[in-house]
Amino acid sequence: FREDRLRVLRALRFAARFGFAIEPGTWAALVDAAPETRHLSAERVRDEWIKGLRTARGIGDFVSLWCRSGVADQWLPECGCEVAMPADLNTSPRDPVLLTAWTCRPSAPVWRRLRGSKIEQRRAEAIDTLPAVPSSASAIDVRRWLAQVDDSARDLECLARWRDAHAAWLDVAQQIRDRRDATSRD
């Protein structure tokens, strides 16, 4: 780990990907080296974070490894290391912006720190600042919400589905889309 600090992140990614435990002596050395990961380039850390989110057997296991090792303290201080992970996080498309928003609140500072793309940063900023759900499940309120959140609706709906897959307003939003109802005066 002293020769290449990136090995710390790779060890966490491979442990989460293949579901194996890191040997206690190696784990102790990894934890000791975790503070030194702050000297890595943000882009390299971002790449390992994204690869880990996309390949881990369980997202919760991957995030837990980052937290327990101390790497999250260096790069993801917004990370809620005790966040409950819905089962479908492991089967749904592995969108790193959504998964980061689920585990880190707010998530836009994470993408700025990791030098994410402008698109990743804008998506995260929208998730952090726009209303997460409509004020009610009425068609009028859902249409108003869709107009307000515009292109961010799909991201916000996905996060809402992870919180409560049976929220009535999600069906209303889909019905509005299916009917191609107007959501603005334009």
Side-chain angles (χ1 to χ4, degrees), residues 24-135:
T26 304
W27 179 258
L30 185 149
V31 170
D32 286 344
E36 297 303 312
T37 63
R38 71 180 172 273
H39 300 296
L40 292 169
S41 74
E43 294 84 357
R44 293 182 88 184
V45 175
R46 180 197 62 227
D47 290 347
E48 287 299 317
W49 174 247
I50 290 171
K51 287 176 187 176
L53 290 172
R54 287 188 171 148
T55 63
R57 282 186 179 183
I59 301 299
D61 296 336
F62 176 67
V63 172
S64 176
L65 285 169
W66 271 56
C67 291
R68 290 187 296 117
S69 68
V71 171
D73 294 339
Q74 304 303 315
W75 289 98
L76 309 171
E78 301 83 359
C79 186
C81 292
E82 301 303 318
V83 173
M85 298 290 186
D88 64 342
L89 282 184
N90 297 317
T91 58
S92 60
R94 300 282 184 98
D95 183 322
V97 173
L98 292 177
L99 292 170
T100 302
W102 185 260
T103 58
C104 303
R105 295 191 185 127
S107 64
V110 172
W111 288 106
R112 285 191 295 273
R113 188 177 309 112
L114 296 179
R115 296 195 179 130
S117 70
K118 294 291 184 196
I119 291 171
E120 290 164 334
Q121 291 182 40
R122 276 192 294 254
R123 285 178 65 202
E125 187 69 37
I127 289 167
D128 291 347
T129 59
L130 292 171
V133 298
S135 57

Side-chain angles (χ1 to χ4, degrees), residues 156-171:
L156 294 167
E157 287 175 61
C158 183
L159 291 167
R161 196 170 293 107
W162 288 346
R163 280 190 298 277
D164 179 9
H166 304 293
W169 71 269
L170 291 167
D171 292 334

